[in-house]
Amino acid sequence: MSAEAEKCVSAAVDAPPLPASLGARSVDEETRRRLADAFPVYASVGLSPFGPSGVLLPSDAGPFLERYYSTPVEPGDLWIVTLPKCGTTWTQEMVWLIQNDCDYEGAQCLLCPDRYHFLEIPALMAPHVRDEIRQGKNPVSKRLMFSPIEERPKPWFVKTHLPLHYCPPALLERGKVIYVARNPKDVCVSYFNHLLMFKERRPDMNMDEFAQMFMDGEVSLLPFFPHVLEAWKERNNPNMLFLFFEDMKRDLRGAIQRVADFLEKPLTEKQLDGLESHLHFSSMKKNPWVNKNMTYAYSALTAEELAAENAASKLEFMRKGETGDWRNHFSQKTSDEMDAWIERELAGTDLKFVTELKKN
């Protein structure tokens, strides 16, 4: 067990234990080899499915999950819950500004770790990556990785990609949750690029291969549909706001108003105008606190070292933010297979996804 995992066990001694049903499940040798080949950064620790939905995490994640499950929640705490690449950063910026009375000056610092606590970031990292950050010279990534949530001022702003059943049981009773979903075809493409930027997947993996693993739930933090459908069932809970990325793209001003209403924070027309401009994707992409500097928060490298490395790369944390970009990346076969998968997974539900938007 890693040093961080041991600390998590110690910190969670007086908390309700993680139910046995949420523990790790075994994987067969063929699956283990396939995952190690696709995601070599995790080869030393391995990836395992956890809990009833089989959420894929590093195999040493159990003690971390126990601590996250026991996180105290108080009225006023705000949690952004999403799968990766569903508009998390966009929503974080929106929520923080609305809740803080459009304090644009105060927003000139990193979303994580300055304004939000990224709940499970240590659990998502391979042990050797955590060691590199601990021994590195980047103070920001050390705070992100190792500063406990209890050191933060209240109310807490929390970001997590974990499914609701790994969040504190009292979350929807005491706190407020904003859940954001995005159509899986665009999530797949964006995640494919994201994992390359963070050096988590094999560089020569092609989109068809990745899409198959995506549908099979063999990518970190997946499977997709159990995560989304669990939240969808809670959409009428008064402490839950369920948003779609595509609705934010189609009517940003309306989405801002919905969030403000949910948070009971009235906005003037002038404030709405300012937020709509600030949160436009082109503005977000230029904002160093939510785009350019985000990779720095997750790296063991210093700012200078990372800048030199990024100069040779065209990859960005915020890429296109488009709906329908999957058409530029999927083969017809992969698109058809994903359509059939979506239809199967949504059978018997009233959840629907928009996979394309008309361009203005």
Side-chain angles (χ1 to χ4, degrees):
M1 183 184 297
S2 67
E4 289 80 20
E6 290 175 355
K7 289 178 184 176
C8 287
V9 171
S10 175
V13 164
D14 297 325
L18 190 72
S21 61
L22 298 183
R25 290 154 41 183
S26 60
V27 295
D28 59 68
E29 185 60 23
E30 181 182 347
T31 301
R32 187 196 67 76
R33 286 198 303 266
R34 184 169 61 252
L35 291 172
D37 175 68
F39 308 106
V41 70
Y42 296 114
S44 62
V45 65
L47 289 164
S48 295
F50 281 78
S53 65
V55 58
L56 198 67
L57 295 165
S59 298
D60 69 344
F64 294 98
L65 295 174
E66 187 153 358
R67 182 173 187 181
Y68 308 148
Y69 189 78
S70 64
T71 301
V73 181
E74 295 178 8
D77 291 345
L78 283 169
W79 288 51
I80 310 298
V81 183
T82 72
L83 279 163
K85 313 315 295 178
C86 288
T88 318
T89 300
W90 198 12
T91 308
Q92 284 179 266
E93 183 78 348
M94 181 193 300
V95 168
W96 192 93
L97 282 167
I98 292 172
Q99 191 68 3
N100 286 277
D101 303 314
C102 301
D103 181 8
Y104 295 105
E105 185 176 345
Q108 292 181 22
C109 59
L110 288 167
L111 279 170
C112 296
D114 296 332
R115 290 182 275 159
Y116 281 80
H117 183 78
F118 190 170
L119 185 70
E120 72 277 10
I121 185 62
L124 299 180
M125 298 291 187
H128 74 274
V129 176
R130 294 195 296 263
D131 289 341
E132 288 171 2
I133 289 174
R134 186 191 304 103
Q135 295 163 14
K137 297 178 181 179
N138 182 342
V140 175
S141 58
K142 287 183 181 182
R143 277 197 294 125
L144 177 74
M145 189 71 58
F146 304 118
S147 294
I149 192 171
E150 290 80 8
E151 292 182 358
R152 289 185 167 271
K154 283 286 192 173
W156 289 342
F157 290 80
V158 181
K159 158 191 172 176
T160 183
H161 295 311
L162 291 174
L164 284 173
H165 57 270
Y166 278 111
C167 295
L171 178 57
L172 283 171
E173 296 174 17
R174 300 178 191 165
K176 282 185 177 286
V177 173
I178 296 176
Y179 187 95
V180 188
R182 186 183 187 186
N183 83 80
K185 297 177 97 169
D186 282 323
V187 172
C188 181
V189 170
S190 189
Y191 208 5
F192 177 76
N193 287 283
H194 177 92
L195 293 176
L196 177 62
M197 181 177 68
F198 283 96
K199 302 177 182 177
E200 292 183 27
R201 70 164 172 85
R202 200 181 71 240
D204 63 346
M205 181 184 290
N206 63 50
M207 178 59 76
D208 289 341
E209 181 184 358
F210 182 80
Q212 187 60 58
M213 297 190 80
F214 184 95
M215 288 185 281
D216 291 341
E218 293 187 343
V219 181
S220 179
L221 289 163
L222 299 183
F224 181 92
F225 280 105
H227 196 297
V228 178
L229 287 170
E230 181 182 11
W232 182 246
K233 290 177 183 176
E234 295 288 347
R235 68 191 182 279
N236 295 320
N237 187 307
N239 287 329
M240 159 84 84
L241 177 63
F242 194 106
L243 297 174
F244 288 98
F245 178 96
E246 292 76 18
D247 288 341
M248 293 165 66
K249 287 288 295 183
R250 184 164 33 200
D251 181 13
L252 178 56
R253 193 180 188 90
I256 294 168
Q257 187 63 66
R258 283 190 68 197
V259 172
D261 292 344
F262 176 68
L263 299 178
E264 300 180 52
K265 298 286 288 188
L267 295 172
T268 65
E269 288 298 310
K270 183 177 180 180
Q271 287 175 319
L272 275 167
D273 289 343
L275 285 166
E276 188 174 15
S277 175
H278 179 84
L279 294 167
H280 191 277
F281 189 81
S282 61
S283 299
M284 291 283 287
K285 202 170 167 71
K286 295 173 186 174
N287 185 341
W289 304 112
V290 299
N291 188 18
K292 301 289 185 182
N293 290 347
M294 286 295 284
T295 51
Y296 174 55
Y298 297 88
S299 173
L301 301 177
T302 65
E304 294 76 15
E305 290 169 338
L306 190 63
E309 183 176 281
N310 286 345
S313 171
K314 295 181 180 179
L315 295 170
E316 289 187 274
F317 186 78
M318 298 186 75
R319 198 176 57 90
K320 290 186 177 180
E322 294 179 355
T323 296
D325 186 47
W326 56 268
R327 283 195 171 277
N328 299 316
H329 302 273
F330 285 174
S331 65
Q332 188 61 54
K333 180 175 181 290
T334 291
S335 178
D336 291 345
E337 289 174 348
M338 191 162 277
D339 286 340
W341 168 68
I342 293 170
E343 184 176 357
R344 286 195 306 272
E345 293 290 335
L346 292 183
T349 79
D350 55 356
L351 176 62
K352 290 182 171 57
F353 284 105
V354 172
T355 58
E356 291 187 84
L357 291 175
K358 291 181 180 178
K359 293 187 177 181
N360 296 329

